[in-house]
Amino acid sequence: MTVTTAPEAALGVLPRADGSAKYSHAGYTVTASVNGPIEAQRRDEHPYEAHVDVIVRPAAGVGSTRERHLESILQSSLTQIILVKNFPRSLIQIVLQVEDTPENDYVNTKLVQASLNFAIMPALFQTAVLALLSAGVPMRATATATAVAIVPQDGTKTSVVDPSPRDAEIAQSVHVLAFTSHDELLLAESEGDFTVKEWDDVYETAKQVCCRPVPAKEGMEMVLDDEHTNGPDLRHFLRSTMEQKVASDLHWK
Amino acid sequence: MCTSTVCNTKKQNLFNPPRRPHPPHLIPSSTSKPLRLGPGLRHLPPSDIIPTVAGQLITNPQKNSMWVEYNNNRYLPTPGDLILAQITRSGPDLYYCSLSPHTPLATLPHLSFESATKKTRPQLSPGSLVYARVVLANKHMDPEIECVSSSTGKSDGLGELKGGMVFDVSLQFARRLLMSKSREEGKVEVLELLGEEGLAFEIAVGRNGRVWVGGEDLKAVVVVGRALRGADEGGLGVEGQRKLVRGLVRGMK
């Protein structure tokens, strides 16, 4: 039941925000707005660096402890890539509104209180990075994120990139990994039971999705590459999205 | 780099994802002048120059400088910038002015006006608008602005703006308008075209994305503002600007 769609993104969808992005991938659609650097409230002020404030709003209902948990994970990893030392005493506010989540065909779900899980993390993270780029917030590096689930299937275990809700439900463990454009591991969160060997496999799979080298020349090589790799090429996607944005901004050059 | 009046810039169609060291052949090399880095670039000692925003790398071999041209919506004060500031309140010996929403207020000393003394200083009420220059922009302090040239003691056109209207444009469009050869390099002709149509108006462009338009004829003021905003939001080329101006002027009569 995997929703196999290529990632899609639009930048600058909210005219009044400093930066915004709408991103949809694997059935999830998230819109983000970034404002900053703006004046921080007295209690958030830090004398030497900017405070990064992440707010996650679910598609239905109000956020609860789960969203606070995702916010804290996103906040700590985004603080790593934003050059927070450039803007002391200020605030960079990132609001992530979940618009759409894939439905689980096996369970009759009534969407009253959306319960977010790790499978949505890559979408949230990627949208936040795109919105930060759109806002022109100075960053150390860009980053790409993916989720990998280890699903038992006919007695063996297979790793599934971008798991569907069904996969996430029956999975033994779900992992979220993010890598910077430098191939450095930025974020690694896991839930469930897994062995070190399994984590290593997950790491390799995620690295392949997030850190595929940009092809020097498009053409035959790319076509061949696609056959023996799974998952979308996120880094290339991020790059081409930004190239489009820069080209339309600098149409007068 | 704070002014955008740069002649003979060599440009590369290069997209810079953050954290990708520039290839050495793109860096201008001159032995007589020190290399100057503009917005969007970061120097990592000893010898790495790394972009922090997505944009186009522009180098100027004459001035031995390089910077990244990009568009963002949040104004960051830089010394020497001409800006339009709105007075919010007056302190014992300075005014507090807003340069952009939700950012710390800039200070404008009461004596930073032409031939101002303790007794003969301009009385500005909250809400009035001044055209000023940024003197001090430091990441740890609130910005300071002035309405007088500290070396000559002359106002050079700076000071309070009476009447007229303010229009918001993008920061990039404001920079293009401020270019000394805005027609050739910035590809923006709206003002010249409006002048050719016989409209009489005054204009003050602030790098914080605000344009003040004044004049006797209110209709002309509105037409100028609409032409500027239309050219900015539509991303119009020279031909498109010509068409827009013609349409607006015809509608005015």
Side-chain angles (χ1 to χ4, degrees):
Chain A
M1 292 313 300
T2 45
V3 191
T4 49
T5 48
E8 275 176 48
L11 297 181
V13 287
L14 306 171
R16 291 209 177 261
D18 287 347
S20 57
K22 186 180 184 140
Y23 174 78
S24 47
H25 178 49
Y28 293 101
T29 305
V30 182
T31 299
S33 81
V34 167
N35 280 299
I38 56 176
E39 195 167 14
Q41 279 185 14
R42 188 55 68 81
R43 65 190 159 99
D44 295 332
E45 238 181 52
H46 189 290
Y48 293 110
E49 58 181 49
H51 175 75
V52 178
D53 191 16
V54 182
I55 300 162
V56 175
R57 294 179 188 280
V62 287
S64 63
T65 325
R66 274 171 204 277
E67 282 75 26
R68 299 291 96 73
H69 178 221
L70 295 183
E71 282 170 13
S72 72
I73 296 170
L74 285 167
Q75 199 246 4
S76 54
S77 43
L78 290 172
T79 308
Q80 295 294 316
I81 55 169
I82 299 171
L83 290 170
V84 282
K85 292 258 165 67
N86 282 13
F87 307 108
R89 296 178 303 118
S90 58
L91 169 78
I92 294 168
Q93 187 183 51
I94 305 166
V95 183
L96 295 153
Q97 170 73 56
V98 180
E99 285 187 22
D100 202 10
T101 52
E103 279 172 32
N104 190 343
D105 297 339
Y106 291 81
V107 187
N108 185 14
T109 45
K110 200 171 144 206
L111 199 65
V112 180
Q113 177 67 53
S115 60
L116 296 180
N117 53 29
F118 268 177
I120 200 177
M121 270 294 279
L124 293 174
F125 188 85
Q126 214 62 77
T127 321
V129 168
L130 282 167
L132 284 167
L133 282 169
S134 143
V137 174
M139 292 203 282
R140 212 181 293 281
T142 57
T144 46
T146 194
V148 180
I150 296 193
V151 183
Q153 227 171 36
D154 315 323
T156 58
K157 289 170 184 170
T158 49
S159 52
V160 179
V161 179
D162 297 321
S164 68
R166 173 68 179 166
D167 287 334
E169 196 181 73
I170 59 169
Q172 285 192 340
S173 59
V174 182
H175 311 260
V176 181
L177 291 99
F179 294 85
T180 63
S181 48
H182 228 54
D183 295 357
E184 294 159 338
L185 185 64
L186 178 67
L187 163 72
E189 288 283 332
S190 309
E191 67 180 1
D193 298 334
F194 55 93
T195 62
V196 174
K197 169 82 181 61
E198 281 169 355
W199 193 87
D200 285 342
D201 290 346
V202 165
Y203 175 80
E204 288 305 323
T205 316
K207 192 161 184 177
Q208 208 180 31
V209 174
C210 292
C211 305
R212 206 172 299 172
V214 174
K217 274 178 195 162
E218 293 184 19
M220 278 304 285
E221 274 175 77
M222 255 188 81
V223 178
L224 290 174
D225 270 354
D226 280 0
E227 282 169 10
H228 56 83
T229 52
N230 53 354
D233 183 355
L234 288 174
R235 191 175 282 178
H236 183 68
F237 165 75
L238 195 71
R239 192 185 165 90
S240 59
T241 311
M242 287 317 295
E243 270 171 358
Q244 272 172 29
K245 190 237 174 197
V246 168
S248 72
D249 275 352
L250 300 176
H251 62 90
W252 51 278
K253 269 282 173 191
Chain B
M1 283 300 297
C2 44
T3 50
S4 40
T5 56
V6 176
C7 323
N8 303 322
T9 47
K10 201 172 81 189
K11 68 178 182 186
Q12 275 85 26
N13 274 319
L14 183 91
F15 162 69
N16 312 292
R19 195 69 204 214
R20 164 174 280 249
H22 281 303
H25 69 271
L26 294 181
I27 299 174
S29 54
S30 157
T31 45
S32 55
K33 286 179 202 158
L35 179 66
R36 295 181 72 191
L37 297 184
L41 292 172
R42 196 160 81 104
H43 175 227
L44 283 188
S47 60
D48 281 351
I49 296 170
I50 283 159
T52 56
V53 291
Q56 190 183 45
L57 177 73
I58 300 191
T59 55
N60 181 356
Q62 271 85 40
K63 292 190 175 172
N64 208 25
S65 61
M66 59 195 289
W67 70 96
V68 177
E69 185 77 47
Y70 67 105
N71 190 19
N72 62 342
N73 291 337
R74 176 65 54 184
Y75 174 69
L76 298 173
T78 315
D81 281 1
L82 293 173
I83 42 96
L84 274 176
Q86 193 172 27
I87 311 281
T88 43
R89 61 175 198 274
S90 173
D93 51 1
L94 38 79
Y95 292 112
Y96 293 94
C97 330
S98 124
L99 305 188
S100 54
H102 310 297
T103 48
L105 298 176
T107 56
L108 170 62
H110 284 165
L111 297 179
S112 298
F113 291 90
E114 193 181 44
S115 63
T117 61
K118 279 244 151 122
K119 280 175 186 152
T120 64
R121 62 178 179 83
Q123 299 288 331
L124 301 178
S125 54
S128 50
L129 205 67
V130 287
Y131 195 39
R133 187 187 302 112
V134 178
V135 212
L136 187 87
N138 184 321
K139 65 180 176 180
H140 291 288
M141 291 162 70
D142 292 346
E144 189 184 318
I145 58 176
E146 62 174 12
C147 287
V148 65
S149 165
S150 44
S151 54
T152 60
K154 290 279 192 312
S155 69
D156 296 335
L158 304 179
E160 192 191 359
L161 300 171
K162 295 189 182 94
M165 290 173 88
V166 176
F167 299 90
D168 287 331
V169 293
S170 70
L171 297 189
Q172 183 176 238
F173 193 72
R175 283 202 298 272
R176 284 164 67 188
L177 284 171
L178 280 169
M179 285 179 179
S180 62
K181 290 182 195 158
S182 60
R183 204 168 188 162
E184 291 82 26
E185 283 175 12
K187 301 278 186 300
V188 46
E189 254 189 38
V190 188
L191 299 178
E192 284 90 345
L193 292 170
L194 287 162
E196 281 164 20
E197 295 282 352
L199 269 67
F201 58 91
E202 291 176 277
I203 192 160
V205 183
R207 285 191 80 134
N208 54 342
R210 290 179 188 170
V211 180
W212 172 84
V213 186
E216 295 286 301
D217 185 8
L218 192 64
K219 261 188 190 170
V221 171
V222 174
V223 164
V224 172
R226 283 176 67 179
L228 289 172
R229 292 200 59 170
D232 179 27
E233 281 159 20
L236 300 181
V238 176
E239 198 47 50
Q241 292 171 16
R242 218 165 269 161
K243 210 176 281 176
L244 175 81
V245 167
R246 227 177 288 139
L248 281 170
V249 170
R250 202 178 302 135
M252 190 180 96
K253 279 165 189 165

